[in-house]
Amino acid sequence: MKRVYHPLLFSIYFPLSLYSLNIRFVSAVELFLPWTLLLSFTGIIWWIVHRKVRDIYVSGMIATFSLLIMFFYGIIYNIFMKVIWVFKKALLKGLFFLPDIFSVICVFLVVLLLWKLLPLFFSHKYFVTNLLNTASLILLFLPLPRIISWKMKERETWGWEFSKKEINIKAKRNIKMDYLPNIYYIILDGYAGEKTLKEIYHFDNSEFLNFLKGKGFYIASESRSNYCQTLLSLASLLNFQYIDSLLPPSALSSENVHLLEELIKHNIAFSFLKNNGYTTIAMDACVWEPAQITSADVFYHLSPFFLSYFQEILIEITPLRFLFSFIRRLAGEGVDEYYRHRKRLLKGFELVKKIAQKNEGPFILFAHFLLPHQPFVFDRNGNPSHLHPSAFTIWRVPESPVEKEIYRKGYIEQLIFTNKKVSEMIEHILKYSKKPPIIILQADHGPASMLDPYSLERTNINERFYILNAYYLPYGGDSLLYPSISPVNTFRVIFNHYFGTSLLLLHDRSFYSTWDYPFHFHDITDRLN
């Protein structure tokens, strides 16, 4: 009797293939859950059918066909989404359900076709089994070169351990203060600087900036991000050093962005503050796991489903999206991922208010909001955007002139709503703070209407690097600020003024790098206006 192993290999292949495409940002540990579920699903179908037909070849074919149909749904769904985007139909509010309907119809037609062909397959079951075995083996090996290549590059940085001793920080309490201030560090992802909004987006943001100034904020009007990518920016600002000072030379010649996760999760700023009596608090208002500080003393999950972004993507390309949508609806989480994204962001703002209202300290709260960054899920009044969010996902940047214009309109709508929520949050923090807190409102980089993630020459660096950078520093902390201060110097100023450290301020530099080679830095400081 010939061996039948194709159902198991196909179950392993699909998550492995998706992992290979996202290997830069996904840990191999995240494969365990989808592999367990898919192998269980395939095994149960195989076992049930085998008990009925008592034929391992036939039952194996049905198990594999069931699995292939499940993922065929995702393929059709993605193709249809691309087609309606090409024809700009995705921008119409009422058509968000069409990809699901079309995918279900296609799957139904494929099932009918297979039903007609099953007798033929069964009559040639040995040949079909050999064909499926061979195909599954070939497919299983296709992602391996990319995975092995990546792991070989990672090997160059094995044994590296992030050392927090590279900066010698000695804290002495500021004699002007008799308390340790609570610190609110708010990252507004992709929030453009005033100059960018005026010149490129033709939007006057003075109302929001004047609100901040009226509350006592210092606006660093010429501030520019140090890097054009989120992980690079966060790793740098949380360790108040440039990346090339934090990583070994072997890492800088690699593409191993997992090292940035280490720098973010175990950063120097949190360690210093913990050693000085602070509780560290973070949340997952940003859906992207590598940018989350899950090592904080208190980490808030804003969704009752602790699935990773990778696992969410895997579910979304199968009919399981319907099952999970039903479960989420029962849990009050809504049906589609963009509804959940809106709810997560709104929960994040409310959580900041609740923490401020409790007024327990001292603490540092690091809240990273994926706003006004795409996907564009809010209009200016907080209603669902008239653009279907899949037009610009978290990774997708506009390409054609028409797309760029649509992007800018969606961005401004979401920015106006962001301003409203941030204003409410600031009012709440200041109202319930018994003693003046420290508040930082800062972007990790600018927007992306003219970003080419693979080419410096085709990127508008002024748009990408000029950012919002606002500071509420009581008791004279703003005396150390200046218009062009960049995020890398934020904690240096705070620690020097409020904790009596003697950290030298670094030169404010900006570095471009592509998504493919994040550590191949181009110093573009002198090219920025």
Side-chain angles (χ1 to χ4, degrees):
M1 178 181 290
K2 293 185 179 293
R3 295 179 180 177
V4 182
Y5 46 79
H6 53 83
L8 303 179
L9 294 189
F10 277 114
S11 298
I12 295 172
Y13 163 73
F14 287 109
L16 189 68
S17 176
L18 187 61
Y19 168 71
S20 71
L21 296 174
N22 296 274
I23 192 169
R24 292 178 61 216
F25 304 111
V26 177
S27 168
V29 176
E30 294 188 37
L31 285 168
F32 178 76
L33 179 60
W35 271 346
T36 301
L37 293 176
L38 282 177
L39 288 169
S40 300
F41 168 80
T42 307
I44 290 171
I45 291 179
W46 198 355
W47 177 75
I48 290 174
V49 175
H50 185 65
R51 288 199 54 160
K52 294 288 184 182
V53 301
R54 297 295 177 181
D55 189 318
I56 193 171
Y57 298 99
V58 171
S59 58
M61 273 189 275
I62 292 177
T64 291
F65 291 153
S66 300
L67 190 66
L68 293 177
I69 287 170
M70 187 167 68
F71 281 96
F72 174 75
Y73 167 89
I75 294 171
I76 295 299
Y77 179 87
N78 288 328
I79 291 174
F80 191 67
M81 284 301 300
K82 290 177 181 178
V83 169
I84 61 177
W85 167 247
V86 169
F87 291 101
K88 302 299 179 289
K89 300 297 183 184
L91 306 179
L92 299 179
K93 184 179 178 181
L95 296 182
F96 67 91
F97 56 84
L98 284 183
D100 279 315
I101 293 176
F102 185 75
S103 301
V104 169
I105 292 172
C106 288
V107 167
F108 179 72
L109 293 175
V110 169
V111 170
L112 284 180
L113 178 63
L114 281 175
W115 184 258
K116 294 289 185 182
L117 293 176
L118 279 180
L120 177 63
F121 291 153
F122 293 164
S123 63
H124 297 83
K125 59 185 179 182
Y126 302 118
F127 172 77
V128 174
T129 296
N130 285 333
L131 186 64
L132 291 174
N133 279 341
T134 303
S136 63
L137 271 173
I138 293 172
L139 285 174
L140 191 62
F141 278 99
L142 288 180
L144 292 183
R146 179 179 173 82
I147 294 173
I148 292 171
S149 173
W150 177 262
K151 292 301 178 183
M152 291 299 291
K153 291 177 181 178
E154 275 192 337
R155 187 179 180 183
E156 298 174 3
T157 57
W158 286 357
W160 173 79
E161 186 175 350
F162 177 40
S163 173
K164 300 186 180 72
K165 299 179 181 178
E166 295 179 19
I167 292 184
N168 186 22
I169 309 176
K170 295 181 180 180
K172 293 181 286 187
R173 189 76 58 82
N174 188 325
I175 59 174
K176 296 180 181 179
M177 298 175 58
D178 59 355
Y179 72 100
L180 291 171
N182 291 332
I183 303 173
Y184 296 84
Y185 208 121
I186 311 297
I187 296 292
L188 299 174
D189 204 304
Y191 200 115
E194 183 180 17
K195 185 182 297 185
T196 298
L197 292 173
K198 281 183 179 179
E199 296 178 358
I200 298 175
Y201 290 75
H202 309 296
F203 177 74
D204 184 359
N205 202 30
S206 58
E207 181 181 350
F208 178 62
L209 298 180
N210 288 335
F211 164 81
L212 293 178
K213 291 174 184 176
K215 293 296 179 182
F217 278 80
Y218 177 92
I219 310 294
S221 58
E222 295 296 321
S223 183
R224 299 165 297 195
S225 62
N226 302 112
Y227 298 94
C228 63
Q229 299 181 43
T230 295
L231 294 186
L232 294 168
S233 294
L234 296 185
S236 174
L237 71 88
L238 287 166
N239 296 285
F240 37 99
Q241 298 177 80
Y242 289 106
I243 299 299
D244 55 4
S245 299
L246 292 165
L247 296 178
S250 59
L252 295 173
S253 62
S254 74
E255 302 167 36
N256 187 5
V257 294
H258 294 299
L259 298 177
L260 297 176
E261 292 183 57
E262 176 77 6
L263 292 172
I264 292 169
K265 287 179 172 58
H266 306 286
N267 61 81
I268 297 175
F270 270 35
S271 295
F272 173 80
L273 291 167
K274 285 183 69 171
N275 291 337
N276 283 275
Y278 275 74
T279 298
T280 58
I281 306 173
M283 63 178 72
D284 60 353
C286 174
V287 68
W288 194 28
E289 291 86 0
Q292 299 170 2
I293 311 179
T294 53
S295 59
D297 295 329
V298 180
F299 185 81
Y300 289 98
H301 288 280
L302 300 178
S303 170
F305 300 94
F306 299 153
L307 293 175
S308 69
Y309 190 63
F310 170 75
Q311 292 161 356
E312 289 262 7
I313 292 173
L314 198 56
I315 288 170
E316 289 295 324
I317 61 173
T318 71
L320 286 175
R321 59 185 281 125
F322 292 114
L323 173 62
F324 274 77
S325 293
F326 176 72
I327 296 172
R328 287 188 175 107
R329 186 190 288 272
L330 292 178
E333 284 294 297
V335 176
D336 69 279
E337 60 182 298
Y338 302 111
Y339 175 92
R340 297 194 299 275
H341 184 54
R342 285 192 294 272
K343 190 165 184 178
R344 180 194 295 261
L345 292 168
L346 294 174
K347 277 186 177 180
F349 284 114
E350 291 305 311
L351 179 58
V352 174
K353 292 180 182 179
K354 288 180 181 178
I355 293 172
Q357 199 162 335
K358 287 181 180 179
N359 199 31
E360 298 172 352
F363 63 76
I364 176 171
L365 168 61
F366 191 86
H368 179 185
F369 291 93
L370 199 65
L371 285 172
H373 194 289
Q374 73 270 17
F376 302 128
V377 295
F378 294 108
D379 68 7
R380 64 181 60 202
N381 297 313
N383 301 313
S385 172
H386 69 284
L387 294 176
H388 190 263
S390 62
F392 299 106
T393 62
I394 185 174
W395 301 115
R396 190 179 187 279
V397 297
E399 297 173 2
S400 69
V402 173
E403 288 185 7
K404 294 178 191 295
E405 190 59 33
I406 293 169
Y407 174 99
R408 290 173 192 150
K409 289 179 180 178
Y411 179 88
I412 291 301
E413 288 287 309
Q414 190 147 281
L415 180 135
I416 292 172
F417 179 67
T418 301
N419 289 350
K420 292 178 181 178
K421 298 305 293 183
V422 172
S423 298
E424 293 172 4
M425 181 178 66
I426 295 300
E427 293 270 20
H428 206 86
I429 292 173
L430 295 177
K431 176 181 177 182
Y432 286 98
S433 295
K434 294 179 180 177
K435 295 184 178 180
I438 293 171
I439 308 175
I440 312 297
L441 294 176
Q442 193 173 84
D444 52 344
H445 53 69
S449 77
M450 291 188 281
L451 168 71
D452 188 320
Y454 306 104
S455 170
L456 170 59
E457 289 69 27
R458 292 193 296 270
T459 292
N460 185 317
I461 56 176
N462 288 320
E463 180 199 35
R464 190 62 175 177
F465 281 88
Y466 275 95
I467 59 171
L468 171 73
N469 196 4
Y471 299 82
Y472 184 86
L473 303 182
Y475 295 100
D478 55 359
S479 62
L480 302 178
L481 300 174
Y482 50 96
S484 61
I485 185 172
S486 64
V488 74
N489 279 317
T490 298
F491 275 115
R492 289 175 179 265
V493 167
I494 292 173
F495 291 165
N496 284 349
H497 185 76
Y498 297 100
F499 297 91
T501 60
S502 301
L503 297 169
L504 297 176
L505 296 189
L506 304 179
H507 293 294
D508 295 297
R509 313 295 294 176
S510 297
F511 300 91
Y512 173 91
S513 58
T514 64
W515 287 359
D516 284 346
Y517 301 100
F519 302 131
H520 293 192
F521 300 123
H522 302 271
D523 189 338
I524 48 90
T525 309
D526 297 332
R527 295 174 58 177
L528 288 166
N529 280 351

